[in-house]
Structure formats: C-alpha cells, structure tokens
Amino acid sequence: MLVRQAVAVNGIKGIALTKLDVLDGLDEIKVCTAYRLDDEVIDYLPASQGAQARVETHLRDARRLERHHRRRAQLNDLPAQAVKYVRHIEELIGAPVALLSTSPERDDTILVTDPFQD
C-alpha cells in the first residue's frame, strides 16, 4: 500500500490521523489492503506509470464506527470500534498513530505518543 511504502522510504516514526469524526456513522469504511495488477495480488504500488494505470485496489471493509468521538482525553477513551480501527491502520502502514484528531476543535486532539521522545 502506498502509505506503508511512504512510511518505509521516509523513515516515518508516527502519523497524524485526522478527521476521525468524519467517519462517524458511515455504514461502511473501505480500507485498501492490497492491489491487483493483471492477475497478481501485490502489497505495494508499482513504480512504473504503465503498471499503476492497470492497478486495481483491493478494498476491505472495516466495521462501522460508533458516534461521539469528541471530548476524549486518550485513545482508549474512544469507543472500542474506533480504537480497533486506529490499531488496524497502524498495523497496515507499519507506523504508530502519534496524534489523533476527533473533531475540528483543537481541544479534541489526542496526543497518543510524544513525537519528541525517544
């Protein structure tokens, strides 16, 4: 997947996952977990522009997230499905979520890990 490639190539140690509240109440959330290139399933985006034009995404459903993500102090204060979604994203991209935004309000940002600590 493209984000996992960006994490690996750029040495990213953590990401900011924003707009979790936008996913509130959606019936389904699709996450790209692989690509199909011709008859082969691959887990990376090919470098060739021609191959990229032929790639189809392999989408997997994540479960519906519960509402009411605002005003949470820590990741584990979020509804269980939201925590599971965040952990799933971390697993897929190979990097932890360091910062999590749960609304447009600055106070609704959760610092999961301090990016300045070793």
Side-chain angles (χ1 to χ4, degrees):
M1 296 164 345
L2 189 55
V3 176
R4 184 174 55 220
Q5 284 176 251
V7 165
V9 169
N10 294 297
I12 295 171
K13 303 291 185 209
I15 66 160
L17 183 61
T18 62
K19 301 187 182 273
L20 188 63
D21 57 306
V22 174
L23 303 177
D24 277 354
L26 291 178
D27 289 333
E28 63 182 0
I29 301 167
K30 300 232 183 227
V31 178
C32 178
T33 58
Y35 301 100
R36 177 174 296 281
L37 177 59
D38 301 326
D39 292 329
E40 183 181 0
V41 176
I42 56 177
D43 65 352
Y44 60 92
L45 189 64
S48 153
Q49 190 175 19
Q52 288 177 7
R54 295 192 320 273
V55 158
E56 297 175 18
T57 56
H58 180 265
L59 302 174
R60 189 171 88 181
D61 286 332
R63 293 193 176 151
R64 180 180 179 175
L65 300 182
E66 300 96 349
R67 296 183 184 271
H68 311 296
H69 294 113
R70 292 182 179 199
R71 302 286 178 228
R72 307 299 176 128
Q74 298 178 6
L75 176 64
N76 290 332
D77 292 339
L78 291 172
Q81 282 302 113
V83 174
K84 188 174 180 180
Y85 174 76
V86 170
R87 297 298 184 213
H88 181 64
I89 295 299
E90 290 176 326
E91 181 182 316
L92 285 174
I93 68 171
V97 170
L99 185 101
L100 181 63
S101 170
T102 61
S103 90
E105 301 300 321
R106 186 175 289 204
D107 291 340
D108 293 335
T109 300
I110 299 169
L111 185 61
V112 180
T113 60
D114 186 344
F116 300 108
Q117 274 187 337
D118 287 333

